[in-house]
Amino acid sequence: ALESRDPDLIYLCLLHIHAKRPKDEYSQVLKKYPAAAAQYAIYCKEHNKRMLEELQVSGNYLFIIFEHLSKDPTEHSLYLAMGHLSSAKEAKADLDRKIASLEGAERSLKMAGVDDNALVNIAIQKQILMVQKELEKTHQHLNLIGKPLKTTLEMLIPLDQAAADKIARELKFNEKFYTRMKAVFLASNAKYEELDKMLSKTKRNASLAPDQIIKIINDSGNKPEAEKWLPRCQGRTKVKAHINLKDFVQAATVAHQLGDFDLIAKCHKLAQQAGDTAQANEITSRYAS
């Protein structure tokens, strides 16, 4: 079919392979014969959009396919960028390939004239990869290359919190989310003094509300320790704190003191959803009228 250069024959051959052979074999054929894949892409663009979508996740031969899809320079550059990004994703722990693919995507996006946000995101991804490369010099067993920044920080916090803090700061990781990650680690390891100290030093915009801290500690399996934070809760925050402790009757009591009957109903509903019939019935008996 390739020798004949007949697009219909190429399409029919590949369609037959797609229908009759295993998916891996179909992918291997496309990788082995990129010219066929390109012709196939042209045909699919006009006649079979669903098949075209399958081609667009093919990675290795994506660039060749996209070269034939569009004569418009901007569209062409965007297709190439998509191909590079797909290749970067496929590279997994192959650092050199990831960096090269991201740089290719960066060039293509610049040619397409996209807004700066996309370029900033790629620059951040490259920066994360370089940080991971440095970290693996001392923490090789973690296999960090290619992992999301969140996962990298979660893995690093137990080993080197100072390094994790530095990376989170330099890469502008969400401060509140990072505070929560550290709080979860400290609570799960019963390091409550360190947790209190960390939270007292946390900047206001990154701080956690007391009811959130109660949930983190309670979820770690230490309800008595979580309850120590109750005096720091007021108003609706106290209702949420009791809900996080699964103390639905107490939550309803505080809601009643606030005169918030919708909140009482919510406490009742949450007790039912938790399968706590006793608390649900108690709330009903107290506040049903």
Side-chain angles (χ1 to χ4, degrees):
L2 281 170
E3 289 175 3
S4 73
R5 298 185 180 180
D6 186 330
D8 290 331
L9 280 178
I10 294 170
Y11 175 76
L12 287 173
C13 288
L14 289 174
L15 189 62
H16 177 80
I17 294 169
H18 180 271
K20 301 294 184 181
R21 307 302 300 169
K23 189 175 180 180
D24 288 346
E25 186 173 330
Y26 169 70
S27 295
Q28 288 302 318
V29 169
L30 290 174
K31 289 177 182 178
K32 187 175 181 180
Y33 301 105
Q39 287 288 338
Y40 193 38
I42 297 168
Y43 199 98
C44 289
K45 187 181 181 185
E46 298 299 324
H47 304 289
N48 195 328
K49 299 292 185 184
R50 183 182 64 80
M51 297 290 285
L52 181 62
E53 288 174 4
E54 288 188 20
L55 283 172
Q56 289 178 349
V57 297
S58 55
N60 290 341
Y61 46 89
L62 201 56
F63 311 109
I64 298 168
I65 293 170
F66 284 152
E67 281 180 5
H68 295 266
L69 287 179
S70 174
K71 298 299 181 184
D72 178 78
T74 300
E75 187 179 353
H76 177 72
S77 296
L78 288 172
Y79 279 138
L80 284 175
M82 287 167 60
H84 283 298
L85 291 173
S86 177
S87 180
K89 185 177 180 180
E90 281 193 352
K92 296 183 180 177
D94 186 338
L95 179 65
D96 292 338
R97 182 181 164 194
K98 273 188 174 293
I99 293 291
S101 297
L102 288 171
E103 287 176 346
E106 199 170 28
R107 288 192 298 272
S108 298
L109 289 171
K110 284 178 180 176
M111 290 173 63
V114 300
D115 61 64
D116 290 340
N117 286 336
L119 296 172
V120 168
N121 286 334
I122 289 176
I124 290 171
Q125 290 303 313
K126 286 165 58 181
Q127 194 175 358
I128 290 170
L129 287 169
M130 298 315 296
V131 165
Q132 290 171 335
K133 180 182 178 181
E134 286 301 308
L135 285 172
E136 285 203 350
K137 291 178 180 178
T138 51
H139 303 292
Q140 190 173 2
H141 64 287
L142 295 180
N143 298 318
L144 294 170
I145 300 296
K147 286 184 169 60
L149 179 56
K150 174 181 175 291
T151 305
T152 299
L153 292 171
E154 285 175 336
M155 295 172 74
L156 189 59
I157 285 170
L159 301 173
D160 190 341
Q161 191 167 312
D165 289 349
K166 182 173 182 289
I167 291 166
R169 185 171 58 253
E170 289 178 352
L171 296 181
K172 296 180 173 59
F173 190 75
N174 183 284
E175 291 180 274
K176 187 180 285 286
F177 196 69
Y178 183 60
T179 299
R180 181 178 178 81
M181 286 168 57
K182 290 197 293 183
V184 168
F185 165 71
L186 293 171
S188 62
N189 288 275
K191 297 183 177 182
Y192 302 116
E193 287 187 16
E194 288 184 44
L195 174 61
D196 201 13
K197 189 183 297 183
M198 180 202 72
L199 293 169
S200 67
K201 293 180 179 178
T202 302
K203 292 189 293 185
R204 186 178 181 84
N205 65 333
S207 63
L208 302 174
D211 62 291
Q212 295 174 310
I213 299 164
I214 285 172
K215 185 177 190 313
I216 289 169
I217 298 173
N218 191 56
D219 287 351
S220 73
N222 194 332
K223 186 174 181 178
E225 187 66 33
E227 288 173 334
K228 293 178 182 179
W229 285 78
L230 280 172
R232 309 190 195 194
C233 301
Q234 300 293 328
R236 284 172 176 76
T237 300
K238 194 166 188 175
V239 176
K240 289 190 282 186
H242 281 296
I243 288 172
N244 288 337
L245 289 166
K246 309 299 182 188
D247 291 337
F248 302 110
V249 174
Q250 281 299 110
T253 300
V254 177
H256 183 259
Q257 292 168 355
L258 296 171
D260 192 330
F261 297 100
D262 288 337
L263 202 48
I264 294 172
K266 180 181 178 181
C267 295
H268 180 266
K269 184 177 180 180
L270 289 171
Q272 287 181 317
Q273 290 174 347
D276 196 328
T277 307
Q279 289 203 70
N281 290 341
E282 180 64 24
I283 293 170
T284 300
S285 67
R286 291 189 187 188
Y287 308 113
S289 59

